[in-house]
C-alpha cells in the first residue's frame, strides 16, 4: 500500500510540474538583423506538414498559413486594427500606465494609404526600436523605447529535432514575452493576445465594401470558449457554421500555463466604426485586466482576448508564455478531393493538441537546443551554417505536407495564395538533401511514392505524383533527370538506413525505372550509355541529344544501380550497368567536354542525328542548351559525391568545369545584366547565372538561362567544395545569403518558382561536403575529412559531433543510435568491433 501511495503521489507531482509556467532557456544566435533589416523577415512557427504562422522581424504575427493553403501577407483581415496582435500594459508603482502594441516601428514606405489604414495596427502605439536575432528555429525580437519603463524580448519557436519527425511536426507556435522592468519601482505588467475567430477565412475568398476594400470572408457562426484544464487556461476557437468538409474548417486554441492573474474575453463589442478595438483598448488600458462580456455575439468572427498580469520587481524580469495550437484536417493540396493531414490524425482538435504538446515543451526545447547549439559549435563557416539552417524553414512551410498515411509530399514552392507546381516534382526535389540527412524516415516515404505509386508498369515514373495516391501513376509525364535522380536517391536512402529489407522491397521497381531509359527511341534507346533521345528536364523543356545535365544523372544512376544490383545478387544487371557507365562516361569526356566545360550536342528530334550547329541552314530546335556553360551541368556528380559513388567522369575535367562555371557564370554585380525572365538577383547583388555563353548563344535558348536561382547555385558551390575550391564556393554561398538580408528578402524563404522553394534545401549539402561526411548503415562505416575541426553530422536517424585533431578523433552521438565497424578520417581507417553508440555516448580513436 505504501508503494501504491508513493506512485500516486509521484504521478500527481508530475502533473503538478507539467502545469507550471515554462520559461525559455537562453537561446543561441547565429544572425542578427538591425532595425533597417526587418521589413521582410517572417520566421515560420509550425511543424513539418502542419502549416505555420510567422514571427515578423518587428514582433508582429504575419502570414497566417494554418488552413491548408499558402497565405503570404495574410493577417485574417484587410489592413486595420483587427488583425491578431499582442499588447502590453505597464504601470510602475505610483505612476501612470502605458499600453503598447508589442511590435517595432513602421517604415516610411508603409505610411501611404488612400484612407490612412496602411498596415495592420496602424493606430496603436509601438516601440521605437526593434531588432531581430535568429538561429532557426529560434527567433527573438528585441523591443525598446526610451519613453517606456520596459523593454521586451519576444521569443518564438517550434520544436525541430533531427531524426524525430513526430516532435518536429507539431501544430504549434510558442510565443514567450520576456519583460524587463527598467525602473526602481515595482511594476504591474500585463500581456494580452487578441485574435478574431477567423475559422473559414483562409485568405482565398474575398468580398468588397463600399470603399472598395477587399475583405476576407468565410467565417460563419464562429464561437470562442474559455477553458481551464490540467493547468492550461485559454481560449478555444471553433465554428458551428463553416462546413466541416471545408479546408478552412478546424479549431484553434490560445493558451497559457501562467501562474499570473489570467483574465479573458470571448467576444468584443460589434465593430461598427472600429468600436471593437476601441472598447478592447479602453478595457485593457484601464488595469491590464480583461472583462468578459455577456452581451449576445452578433459577429461571425468574434474577437477573443487572453491576458496574463504579473508584478515585476524593480530592475527585475518576468516571462509570459503563450501557445497557439491548431487543427485543420481537410487538406486538398492539388487534389479535387480531401486527402487530409497526418498531424490531424494525432489530435482530435486544437485543445487536445495543446493538452498533449504543452507539457512536452521543456524537453522539446532542450532537444532542439541540443541540435542547434551543436550545429553552431561546428567549424563550418557562418554563411554555410546560415544557408543550411535557415532553409530548413522550407520543411515547415506550406510547401510541405504529410498525408494521413505519413507520406511526405511537397509542392515545388508556394505562391502568395496557392501552391506552385504540384506533385513532389522529382527533378526539383532531386537537389535537396536536408530531408534524407535529417529525417530519413520521411525521405523513405518519398521514395515509396515515386517507386510504388507514381510509376507505371512499363517503368515510366510520373515526375509529378497526382493525389490521392491511387491516382499517382495515371499520367504519362516522365522526366529524364527526375527519374535517374530517383535511382540515386533510392541508393542513398538504402545506405543511410542500413535497411536491406527496404532495398529488397523496392529493387524490382528501381530496376524498372532505370530500364525505362532503354525503351526503343527513348532516352538511351540504343543502350550505348549516352542519352540521345528527347529528355524532359528541370528547365521545363526537352533537350534533344547528349548533354551533361542529363548525362551525369544517368551516369550516377548506373553506378547506384550497379551497387544495389550487387547487393541483390543480380550479377547480370550489375554487369550491364557497369558496361553502360564506362561507355557513357568515356563518350562524354571525349565528345561533350570542350576543354573548359561540358556542352550539349543537339540532335534532330526525329532522326536522332547530330545537327551541324555552325551550318546557318540547319534549323535548331528551340529551348536548348547547346554550347552554353550550365550552372548545374555536374548535378549528377554532385549527388555521386554525396552518395560516395566516386567520379563519374575524368576528375581533371570535373574541376576544370567548375573553374569555368565560376569564371563565366559568376557575376559580382548585376546592374548591367539583361534578363528577359524573372529577377531573383537585382542591381548590385551577386550570383551565379543559370547559363553563360562564352562560345556564342543560341537565338532561343532554354527559358531560364538569364536567371539566378539559389538551389542551382548551391549545387555548383557544393561541387566546388568537393573539388577543394573552398574560396570560390564560399563566395557563391555568401552572395546568396547577402541577398536574403531581411530588408530586401526573407532570410527564411529562398524563392525560385514560389516562396520556400524545395531546391533551396540543397544548401545542407555544403555541410556534407565540408565535413566529407559519409555513412553506410550497410557496411556500418562512417567517414570524415582529416581537416582538424568540429563537425556536426547526421544520417537521418542519429546525429552528433565529430572533433578531429592531428592525432585523434572523438565521435559523439547526441541523439539516436549508431552501429559501427569502421571509422574513416581522410585516408586513415580504423576497424572497430561492432561498436554501438547511443545518445550521450562518445568514442575517441587515436592513430
Amino acid at each position: 500500500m505504501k508503494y501504491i501511495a508513493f506512485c500516486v503521489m509521484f504521478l500527481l507531482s508530475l502533473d503538478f510540474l507539467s502545469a507550471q509556467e515554462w520559461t525559455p532557456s537562453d537561446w543561441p544566435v547565429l544572425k542578427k538583423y538591425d532595425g533597417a533589416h526587418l521589413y521582410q523577415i517572417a520566421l515560420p512557427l509550425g511543424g513539418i506538414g502542419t502549416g505555420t504562422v510567422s514571427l515578423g522581424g518587428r514582433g508582429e504575427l504575419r502570414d497566417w498559413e494554418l488552413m491548408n493553403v499558402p497565405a503570404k501577407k495574410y493577417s485574417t483581415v484587410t489592413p486595420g486594427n483587427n488583425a491578431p496582435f499582442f499588447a502590453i500594459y505597464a504601470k510602475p508603482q505610483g505612476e501612470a500606465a502605458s499600453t503598447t502594441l508589442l511590435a517595432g516601428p513602421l517604415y516610411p514606405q508603409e505610411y501611404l494609404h488612400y484612407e490612412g489604414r496602411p498596415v495592420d495596427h496602424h493606430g496603436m502605439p509601438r516601440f521605437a526600436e526593434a531588432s531581430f536575432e535568429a538561429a532557426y528555429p529560434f527567433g527573438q525580437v528585441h523591443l525598446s523605447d526610451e519613453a517606456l519603463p520596459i523593454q521586451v524580448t519576444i521569443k518564438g519557436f517550434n520544436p525541430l529535432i533531427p531524426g524525430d519527425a513526430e516532435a518536429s511536426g507539431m501544430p504549434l507556435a510558442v510565443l514567450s514575452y520576456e519583460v524587463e522592468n527598467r525602473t526602481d519601482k515595482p511594476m504591474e505588467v500585463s500581456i494580452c493576445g487578441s485574435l478574431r475567430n477567423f475559422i473559414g477565412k483562409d485568405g482565398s475568398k474575398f468580398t468588397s465594401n463600399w470603399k472598395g476594400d477587399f475583405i476576407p470572408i468565410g467565417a460563419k457562426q464562429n464561437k470562442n470558449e474559455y477553458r481551464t484544464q490540467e493547468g492550461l487556461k485559454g481560449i478555444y476557437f471553433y465554428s458551428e457554421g463553416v462546413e466541416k468538409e471545408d479546408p478552412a474548417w478546424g479549431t484553434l486554441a490560445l493558451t497559457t500555463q501562467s501562474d499570473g492573474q489570467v483574465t479573458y474575453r470571448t467576444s468584443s463589442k460589434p465593430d461598427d466604426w472600429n468600436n471593437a478595438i476601441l472598447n478592447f483598448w479602453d478595457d485593457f488600458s484601464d488595469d491590464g485586466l480583461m472583462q468578459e462580456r455577456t452581451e449576445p455575439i452578433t459577429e461571425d468572427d468574434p474577437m477573443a482576448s487572453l491576458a496574463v498580469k504579473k508584478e515585476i520587481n524593480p530592475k527585475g524580469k518576468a516571462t509570459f508564455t503563450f501557445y497557439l495550437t491548431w487543427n485543420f484536417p481537410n487538406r486538398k493540396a492539388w487534389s479535387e478531393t480531401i486527402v487530409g493531414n497526418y498531424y490531424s490524425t494525432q489530435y482530435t482538435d486544437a485543445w487536445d493538441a495543446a493538452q498533449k504538446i504543452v507539457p512536452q515543451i521543456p524537453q522539446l526545447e532542450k532537444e532542439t537546443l541540443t541540435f542547434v547549439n551543436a550545429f553552431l559549435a561546428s567549424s563550418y563557416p557562418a554563411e554555410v551554417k546560415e544557408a543550411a539552417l535557415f532553409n530548413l524553414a522550407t520543411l515547415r512551410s506550406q510547401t510541405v505536407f504529410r498525408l494521413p498515411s505519413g507520406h511526405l509530399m511537397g509542392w515545388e514552392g508556394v505562391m502568395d495564395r496557392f501552391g506552385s507546381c504540384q506533385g513532389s516534382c522529382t527533378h526539383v526535389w532531386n537537389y535537396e538533401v536536408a530531408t534524407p540527412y535529417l529525417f530519413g524516415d520521411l525521405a523513405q516515404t518519398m521514395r515509396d511514392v515515386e517507386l510504388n505509386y507514381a510509376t507505371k508498369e512499363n517503368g515510366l515514373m510520373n515526375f509529378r505524383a497526382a493525389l490521392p495516391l491511387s491516382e499517382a501513376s495515371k499520367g504519362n509525364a516522365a522526366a529524364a533527370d527526375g527519374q535517374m535522380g530517383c535511382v540515386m536517391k533510392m541508393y542513398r536512402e538504402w545506405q543511410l538506413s542500413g535497411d536491406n529489407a527496404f532495398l529488397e522491397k523496392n529493387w524490382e521497381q528501381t530496376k524498372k525505372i532505370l530500364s525505362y531509359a532503354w525503351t526503343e527511341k527513348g532516352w538511351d534507346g540504343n543502350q550505348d550509355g549516352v542519352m540521345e533521345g528527347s529528355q524532359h528536364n528541370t528547365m521545363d523543356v526537352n533537350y534533344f541529344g547528349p548533354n551533361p545535365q542529363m548525362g551525369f544523372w544517368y551516369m550516377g544512376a548506373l553506378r547506384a544501380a550497379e551497387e544495389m544490383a550487387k547487393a541483390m545478387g543480380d550479377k547480370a544487371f550489375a554487369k550491364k550497368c557497369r558496361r553502360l557507365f564506362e561507355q557513357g562516361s568515356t563518350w562524354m569526356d571525349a565528345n561533350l567536354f570542350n576543354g573548359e566545360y561540358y556542352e550539349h550536342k543537339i540532335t534532330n528530334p526525329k532522326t536522332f542525328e547530330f545537327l551541324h550547329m555552325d551550318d546557318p541552314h540547319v534549323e535548331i530546335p528551340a529551348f536548348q542548351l547547346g554550347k552554353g556553360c550550365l550552372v548545374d551541368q555536374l548535378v549528377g556528380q554532385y549527388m555521386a559525391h554525396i552518395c560516395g559513388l566516386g567520379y563519374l567522369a575524368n576528375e581533371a575535367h570535373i574541376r576544370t568545369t567548375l573553374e569555368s562555371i565560376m569564371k563565366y557564370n559568376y557575376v559580382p554585380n548585376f546592374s548591367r545584366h539583361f534578363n528577359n525572365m524573372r529577377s531573383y538577383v537585382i542591381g548590385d547583388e551577386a550570383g551565379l547565372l543559370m547559363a553563360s555563353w562564352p562560345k556564342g548563344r543560341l537565338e532561343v535558348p532554354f527559358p531560364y538561362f538569364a536567371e539566378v536561382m539559389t538551389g542551382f547555385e548551391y549545387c555548383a558551390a557544393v561541387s566546388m567544395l568537393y573539388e577543394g575550391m573552398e574560396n570560390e564556393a564560399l563566395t557563391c554561398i555568401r552572395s546568396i545569403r547577402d541577398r536574403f538580408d531581411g530588408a530586401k528578402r526573407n532570410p527564411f524563404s529562398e524563392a525560385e518558382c514560389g516562396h520556400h522553394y524545395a531546391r533551396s534545401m540543397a544548401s545542407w549539402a555544403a555541410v556534407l561536403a565540408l565535413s566529407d561526411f559519409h555513412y553506410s548503415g550497410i557496411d556500418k562505416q562512417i567517414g570524415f575529412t582529416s581537416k582538424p575541426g568540429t563537425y556536426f553530422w547526421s544520417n537521418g536517424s542519429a546525429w552528433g559531433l565529430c572533433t578531429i585533431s592531428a592525432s585523434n578523433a572523438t565521435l559523439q552521438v547526441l541523439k539516436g543510435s549508431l552501429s559501427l565497424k569502421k571509422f574513416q578520417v581522410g585516408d586513415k581507417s580504423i576497424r572497430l568491433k561492432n561498436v554501438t553508440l547511443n545518445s550521450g555516448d562518445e568514442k575517441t580513436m587515436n592513430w
Side-chain angles (χ1 to χ4, degrees):
M1 289 296 292
K2 289 183 179 180
Y3 175 74
I4 295 174
F6 170 78
C7 291
V8 170
M9 291 301 294
F10 177 70
L11 291 172
L12 287 174
S13 70
L14 287 179
D15 184 63
F16 172 76
L17 288 171
S18 70
Q20 300 305 293
E21 183 171 17
W22 165 78
T23 300
S25 307
D26 290 334
W27 286 359
V29 175
L30 173 59
K31 187 80 171 183
K32 298 182 179 182
Y33 302 86
D34 62 22
H37 294 83
L38 307 178
Y39 182 64
Q40 299 288 4
I41 290 177
L43 185 149
L45 302 175
I48 298 173
T50 69
T52 63
V53 59
S54 290
L55 177 63
R58 292 170 287 179
E60 75 278 19
L61 296 178
R62 54 187 290 184
D63 301 350
W64 287 80
E65 303 178 276
L66 310 181
M67 300 185 190
N68 300 304
V69 293
K72 294 301 177 191
K73 304 174 186 175
Y74 178 58
S75 60
T76 78
V77 293
T78 50
N81 285 323
N82 283 320
F85 67 95
F86 279 78
I88 185 168
Y89 165 95
K91 187 182 186 306
Q93 189 177 73
E95 297 184 14
S98 60
T99 304
T100 311
L101 179 72
L102 279 160
L106 300 179
Y107 288 109
Q109 64 265 33
E110 296 175 290
Y111 280 47
L112 178 64
H113 188 266
Y114 61 86
E115 203 187 35
R117 307 170 195 265
V119 294
D120 294 335
H121 317 123
H122 51 80
M124 297 182 185
R126 293 166 170 261
F127 284 79
E129 304 290 337
S131 62
F132 190 90
E133 296 178 333
Y136 191 80
F138 299 108
Q140 303 181 71
V141 182
H142 301 290
L143 302 173
S144 61
D145 194 316
E146 286 300 318
L148 293 174
I150 51 171
Q151 52 189 36
V152 180
T153 294
I154 306 172
K155 304 179 79 168
F157 96 110
N158 178 291
L160 179 62
I161 304 165
D164 193 341
E166 301 300 310
S168 305
M170 294 178 169
L172 166 79
V174 179
L175 291 164
S176 282
Y177 296 82
E178 297 181 352
V179 183
E180 180 181 350
N181 177 357
R182 297 172 55 229
T183 75
D184 296 318
K185 301 177 181 180
M187 184 185 297
E188 294 179 1
V189 173
S190 180
I191 290 183
C192 183
S194 295
L195 177 69
R196 281 197 171 272
N197 187 332
F198 63 100
I199 293 168
K201 297 195 296 186
D202 60 9
S204 64
K205 299 179 285 290
F206 291 86
T207 186
S208 59
N209 61 15
W210 61 274
K211 296 175 291 189
D213 293 324
F214 288 100
I215 302 171
I217 59 174
K220 297 176 183 177
Q221 300 180 52
N222 290 359
K223 310 289 185 181
N224 305 327
E225 175 186 321
Y226 180 73
R227 293 182 176 183
T228 61
Q229 192 171 4
E230 298 177 0
L232 276 182
K233 310 165 190 175
I235 312 293
Y236 176 62
F237 301 80
Y238 64 102
S239 177
E240 292 183 345
V242 176
E243 293 293 331
K244 292 191 176 182
E245 294 73 33
D246 192 315
W249 175 83
T251 55
L252 291 156
L254 178 63
T255 59
T256 183
Q257 290 179 304
S258 179
D259 52 5
Q261 185 176 4
V262 177
T263 57
Y264 64 92
R265 273 186 174 190
T266 56
S267 65
S268 57
K269 265 194 173 183
D271 203 30
D272 300 331
W273 295 98
N274 298 109
N275 265 296
I277 203 68
L278 173 63
N279 183 255
F280 161 83
W281 199 262
D282 287 346
D283 188 2
F284 186 55
S285 298
D286 181 46
D287 55 8
L289 304 175
M290 300 307 303
Q291 299 292 324
E292 172 66 314
R293 295 182 56 80
T294 58
E295 292 85 348
I297 297 175
T298 60
E299 297 175 300
D300 281 329
D301 60 348
M303 185 173 79
S305 300
L306 182 67
V308 175
K309 187 176 183 180
K310 299 181 180 182
E311 183 170 298
I312 305 180
N313 293 327
K315 303 296 185 181
K317 293 181 180 181
T319 298
F320 304 71
T321 300
F322 296 83
Y323 307 95
L324 181 71
T325 52
W326 58 88
N327 190 358
F328 292 91
N330 299 326
R331 181 178 293 276
K332 285 188 175 181
W334 51 82
S335 172
E336 293 300 315
T337 60
I338 292 170
V339 295
N341 282 312
Y342 174 78
Y343 84 87
S344 295
T345 68
Q346 310 300 301
Y347 312 102
T348 56
D349 55 36
W351 189 266
D352 182 52
Q355 283 186 285
K356 290 177 177 176
I357 296 171
V358 170
Q360 302 179 60
I361 291 300
Q363 181 62 26
L364 294 174
E365 182 214 31
K366 180 181 177 181
E367 293 189 41
T368 304
L369 281 170
T370 299
F371 160 54
V372 175
N373 283 327
F375 188 72
L376 297 191
S378 300
S379 302
Y380 305 112
E383 54 267 47
V384 168
K385 293 177 183 177
E386 182 187 335
L389 198 61
F390 286 20
N391 275 312
L392 296 183
T394 296
L395 274 177
R396 327 253 275 191
S397 70
Q398 280 287 355
T399 295
V400 171
F401 58 96
R402 291 182 73 185
L403 301 177
S405 60
H407 287 94
L408 187 74
M409 306 295 293
W411 300 89
E412 292 183 22
V414 291
M415 305 304 192
D416 283 358
R417 289 289 183 273
F418 51 87
S420 169
C421 305
Q422 66 189 44
S424 302
C425 177
T426 57
H427 61 57
V428 168
W429 281 84
N430 268 355
Y431 289 71
E432 76 92 10
V433 295
T435 306
Y437 280 89
L438 296 179
F439 300 99
D441 54 344
L442 296 184
Q444 287 190 32
T445 71
M446 299 192 83
R447 305 295 81 78
D448 187 43
V449 170
E450 294 157 357
L451 291 165
N452 300 310
Y453 290 93
T455 297
K456 303 175 80 69
E457 189 58 36
N458 66 351
L460 183 154
M461 176 190 289
N462 285 285
F463 71 92
R464 299 189 187 278
L467 288 174
L469 286 180
S470 58
E471 307 289 314
S473 67
K474 290 192 175 180
N476 286 289
D481 51 354
Q483 193 150 329
M484 296 301 100
C486 286
V487 176
M488 298 188 77
K489 291 187 293 186
M490 177 62 210
Y491 173 82
R492 180 188 64 198
E493 268 64 279
W494 168 55
Q495 286 288 316
L496 288 176
S497 68
D499 186 355
N500 281 317
F502 177 67
L503 176 60
E504 291 168 5
K505 175 187 174 182
N506 293 292
W507 173 238
E508 290 303 319
Q509 288 296 95
T510 303
K511 284 178 63 176
K512 191 182 294 183
I513 66 168
L514 177 58
S515 300
Y516 181 77
W518 307 328
T519 303
E520 186 177 357
K521 295 188 176 179
W523 301 325
D524 183 17
N526 62 0
Q527 301 183 44
D528 63 350
V530 180
M531 282 193 170
E532 299 96 348
S534 175
Q535 304 149 56
H536 188 73
N537 63 80
T538 197
M539 303 307 176
D540 297 323
V541 296
N542 288 27
Y543 285 165
F544 303 110
N547 63 88
Q549 189 181 39
M550 251 47 58
F552 280 114
W553 274 126
Y554 186 30
M555 294 301 100
L558 290 168
R559 279 288 297 115
E562 177 190 358
E563 296 302 319
M564 289 185 282
K566 289 177 181 177
M568 290 299 299
D570 195 337
K571 295 180 180 179
F573 199 81
K575 185 176 181 180
K576 180 174 184 177
C577 290
R578 167 53 64 171
R579 175 178 60 81
L580 293 180
F581 166 73
E582 290 178 350
Q583 289 177 349
S585 177
T586 300
W587 191 93
M588 288 176 64
D589 274 324
N591 295 277
L592 298 189
F593 187 72
N594 64 17
E596 292 187 289
Y597 57 88
Y598 292 87
E599 61 182 45
H600 173 198
K601 301 292 187 183
I602 302 175
T603 59
N604 184 306
K606 295 180 180 179
T607 66
F608 286 37
E609 294 180 355
F610 289 106
L611 298 177
H612 297 288
M613 301 289 292
D614 298 326
D615 187 341
H617 302 292
V618 171
E619 184 177 353
I620 306 297
F623 308 126
Q624 302 298 292
L625 171 63
K627 295 182 179 181
C629 180
L630 187 65
V631 66
D632 68 327
Q633 59 186 281
L634 299 178
V635 60
Q637 182 64 72
Y638 153 90
M639 188 57 68
H641 281 320
I642 290 169
C643 292
L645 289 168
Y647 280 93
L648 304 179
N650 182 290
E651 183 177 347
H653 292 177
I654 297 294
R655 182 181 174 97
T656 298
T657 295
L658 290 164
E659 291 171 348
S660 297
I661 290 172
M662 194 66 190
K663 175 182 177 181
Y664 293 124
N665 293 44
Y666 184 76
V667 179
N669 187 315
F670 271 75
S671 297
R672 300 299 303 164
H673 175 69
F674 173 79
N675 177 9
N676 60 309
M677 289 286 288
R678 303 163 301 184
S679 291
Y680 297 113
V681 180
I682 300 175
D684 62 359
E685 296 177 325
L688 278 174
L689 279 170
M690 292 291 288
S692 59
W693 307 91
K695 301 180 185 301
R697 202 200 78 200
L698 296 171
E699 182 179 356
V700 184
F702 73 92
Y704 309 127
F705 75 95
E707 294 184 357
V708 173
M709 293 182 269
T710 68
F712 295 99
E713 291 178 278
Y714 287 127
C715 173
V718 169
S719 296
M720 294 175 193
L721 288 173
Y722 276 115
E723 300 306 319
M725 299 168 59
E726 186 168 323
N727 289 337
E728 294 88 340
L730 295 182
T731 295
C732 294
I733 295 173
R734 195 177 306 118
S735 295
I736 296 171
R737 292 310 299 177
D738 284 348
R739 305 195 304 255
F740 292 85
D741 65 352
K744 296 178 290 186
R745 298 179 185 86
N746 182 8
F748 308 101
S749 174
E750 291 186 4
E752 191 176 310
C753 186
H755 308 285
H756 304 292
Y757 203 78
R759 193 165 4 225
S760 67
M761 291 187 288
S763 54
W764 191 265
V767 173
L768 305 176
L770 283 167
S771 61
D772 199 20
F773 173 74
H774 290 96
Y775 176 75
S776 170
I778 302 300
D779 299 328
K780 297 187 180 343
Q781 176 176 330
I782 196 168
F784 294 91
T785 177
S786 60
K787 183 178 180 180
T790 297
Y791 301 97
F792 178 88
W793 61 268
S794 57
N795 68 0
S797 58
W799 48 272
L801 291 170
C802 186
T803 301
I804 296 168
S805 71
S807 59
N808 60 40
T810 299
L811 182 68
Q812 293 176 278
V813 176
L814 297 175
K815 188 173 177 65
S817 180
L818 195 67
S819 295
L820 293 175
K821 291 182 179 179
K822 186 178 180 182
F823 186 87
Q824 188 85 27
V825 175
D827 59 1
K828 300 179 181 68
S829 180
I830 299 174
R831 293 286 177 181
L832 305 171
K833 293 184 178 180
N834 292 324
V835 171
T836 298
L837 301 177
N838 297 311
S839 296
D841 291 345
E842 66 176 54
K843 184 173 181 59
T844 298
M845 286 141 287
N846 301 297
W847 47 78

